[in-house]
Amino acid sequence: MRGDDRRSGSLFSYVDLEARVPRSHPLRVIRTVVDDALQELHGLRSERQMMERLDVDLLFRWFVGLGIDDPVWQPTVYAKNRDRLF
């Protein structure tokens, strides 16, 4: 037998993303500018890659205003509605 297969961590997360991002983080200023100017700022090559990154990266979720349990947009829906969103 290989022993216990215990995993650390809990089943549910009650993380407040606003509390996890430090007040001095430079993205806070950038987010304010982007919210005001409605510009699209990301260095990802495709909508699909951006949605994958949003699914796993808490900082990206916070940046676009998604909560930790909010579903990520479908890449095809995002691509079709990109002009309307921005």
Side-chain angles (χ1 to χ4, degrees):
M1 306 292 298
R2 38 181 221 132
D4 248 352
D5 206 11
R6 294 184 194 175
R7 295 179 182 211
S8 61
S10 61
L11 180 60
F12 299 104
S13 176
Y14 300 99
V15 175
D16 179 16
L17 289 179
E18 192 65 32
R20 293 290 304 241
V21 179
R23 293 275 174 221
S24 61
H25 199 287
L27 277 180
R28 285 191 175 273
V29 176
I30 294 171
R31 183 181 184 197
T32 304
V33 171
V34 170
D35 284 346
D36 292 341
L38 297 175
Q39 292 176 356
E40 180 181 358
L41 291 178
H42 58 82
L44 302 171
R45 295 184 303 270
S46 69
E47 281 86 7
R48 183 167 306 283
Q49 187 181 24
M50 186 170 78
M51 296 308 128
E52 289 173 1
R53 185 76 182 263
L54 276 172
D55 198 32
V56 298
D57 194 324
L58 294 179
L59 189 59
F60 267 57
R61 283 181 168 270
W62 170 84
F63 188 75
V64 299
L66 283 176
I68 194 166
D69 294 323
D70 293 340
V72 175
W73 310 294
Q74 293 295 322
T76 54
V77 174
Y78 175 81
K80 289 179 182 176
N81 292 302
R82 181 184 332 115
D83 294 334
R84 187 173 58 104
L85 290 171
F86 296 106

